[in-house]
Amino acid sequence: MEINISVAMEKTPQQEEEAQEEARRAFVAELWRRFESLQEWAVSHWPDTQHPLSSADFVEARKEILGLRSPAGPLNQPATRDGAEPAPEQGGAQYLDVTPAPWP
């Protein structure tokens, strides 16, 4: 009978963050590679020869993908807006009226 004994090493918060950041970089690199392939395919197979696609048509998508490389904060914390109200558990209001005012 064989008993498999292993000591589980817990990662420090910094190691966990580094692992998440490495996973993010690997994901973005793969996403970028696939996006480039898709872009090349779309440009070469676009059926409207009167209005051909170019790489300039994909600028906004590239910006979005590149924005994934450096988010505003750590992966486990949502990005905060400048001047945002604190959350209710941090002493902020429990209800914020976001209903727009009617036209005059």
Side-chain angles (χ1 to χ4, degrees):
M1 177 179 202
E2 187 176 316
I3 299 175
N4 190 2
I5 300 175
S6 63
V7 177
M9 292 181 53
E10 293 187 29
K11 292 183 179 179
T12 64
Q14 183 178 0
Q15 289 173 328
E16 184 67 31
E17 217 173 280
E18 288 172 358
Q20 288 178 339
E21 191 61 35
E22 181 61 34
R24 179 198 330 255
R25 282 193 292 269
F27 174 82
V28 172
E30 179 67 15
L31 179 63
W32 186 261
R33 185 188 66 74
R34 290 180 183 209
F35 175 74
E36 289 291 315
S37 297
L38 175 66
Q39 178 183 319
E40 289 174 21
W41 177 86
V43 169
S44 64
H45 290 84
W46 182 247
D48 187 359
T49 56
Q50 298 293 330
H51 305 95
L53 287 178
S54 72
S55 62
D57 294 313
F58 298 90
V59 169
E60 292 302 318
R62 282 196 293 272
K63 286 180 187 177
E64 290 293 325
I65 293 171
L66 292 175
L68 295 174
R69 288 192 308 186
S70 57
L75 281 175
N76 55 357
Q77 295 179 359
T80 58
R81 298 172 293 158
D82 293 335
E85 294 288 325
E89 62 270 10
Q90 298 170 340
Q94 290 187 355
Y95 174 77
L96 296 174
D97 186 10
V98 295
T99 306
W103 286 94

